[in-house]
Amino acid sequence: MLLYHGSNTAVEKPQLIKQTRGLDFGAGFYLTTSETQAARFSQAVTARRKRGAPIVSAFDFDIETAENVLAILKFERADVEWFRFVVNNRMKIYTGDDYDIVIGAVANDAVMPSIQAFMGGFLSEEAAIISLETSKLVDQVCLKSERALTMLHFIKTYIARQGRRY
């Protein structure tokens, strides 16, 4: 499986870094199967950090072996279970099972207002989930253990150019 990581720096040797903010699937190394998503994210990160360059790092991942030996949580769609998992991780209150890998939709700019409105008490869970149904969401793969990282093999890095079709 080909996976991409977008950042403001090249990443040849991914690491699990302690996170200070709540992320969709908790702490881990985030990738996607969408080259376009990785490129967009690299540009956003570079703009936010005001340093580096928008870099996409490409990796090969042995998903077949991973499915046989690792604990994987996979959300087929952005449903109520996905929503609750994301909210709990973003609020840093997730207390469920530990996984080596979590796969599912990105809580991107299209759905974050609904999630934030729910977290702030301004929107019911049901209304927030209904808003997800109209969103076209890209996938993300979060590697959460060293065992998962060992199955990720670096291929290349390159600068993401604006206007380039991936």
Side-chain angles (χ1 to χ4, degrees):
M1 167 188 279
L2 195 55
L3 295 173
Y4 303 94
H5 175 80
S7 186
N8 66 325
T9 185
V11 178
E12 293 182 23
K13 294 181 182 179
Q15 299 175 7
L16 298 176
I17 299 171
K18 194 93 165 156
Q19 296 294 327
T20 57
R21 61 190 177 112
L23 302 174
D24 292 356
F25 297 158
F29 184 71
Y30 282 77
L31 305 112
T32 179
T33 61
S34 169
E35 189 175 10
T36 300
Q37 173 71 12
R40 285 184 188 140
F41 190 76
S42 71
Q43 292 162 348
V45 168
T46 302
R48 184 176 65 235
R49 294 180 179 166
K50 296 181 176 137
R51 61 184 160 95
I55 305 288
V56 173
S57 299
F59 299 88
D60 182 49
F61 185 72
D62 185 356
I63 189 67
E64 289 82 21
T65 300
E67 289 173 337
N68 290 321
V69 299
L70 299 178
I72 300 175
L73 175 60
K74 184 173 184 178
F75 295 99
E76 297 297 334
R77 58 189 184 80
D79 57 12
V80 66
E81 287 80 19
W82 172 88
F83 181 81
R84 289 175 181 165
F85 189 80
V86 169
V87 168
N88 286 339
N89 277 293
R90 286 203 165 253
M91 293 177 72
K92 297 185 189 178
I93 60 170
Y94 176 73
T95 58
D97 295 333
D98 289 331
Y99 297 95
D100 296 299
I101 303 171
V102 179
I103 302 169
V106 173
N108 64 14
D109 293 344
V111 299
M112 275 314 295
S114 296
I115 290 174
Q116 289 170 332
F118 169 77
M119 289 168 48
F122 300 106
L123 193 63
S124 71
E125 180 182 74
E126 181 181 4
I129 292 168
I130 288 170
S131 74
L132 297 175
E133 294 172 359
T134 61
S135 301
K136 185 175 181 173
L137 303 175
V138 179
D139 71 354
Q140 61 185 339
V141 177
C142 180
L143 305 184
K144 301 177 69 59
S145 72
E146 293 295 334
R147 287 180 57 200
L149 283 180
T150 65
M151 296 181 186
L152 192 65
H153 305 286
F154 175 75
I155 298 173
K156 66 179 179 179
T157 61
Y158 56 91
I159 295 176
R161 305 259 185 237
Q162 282 195 325
R164 178 178 170 191
R165 296 192 64 119
Y166 293 94

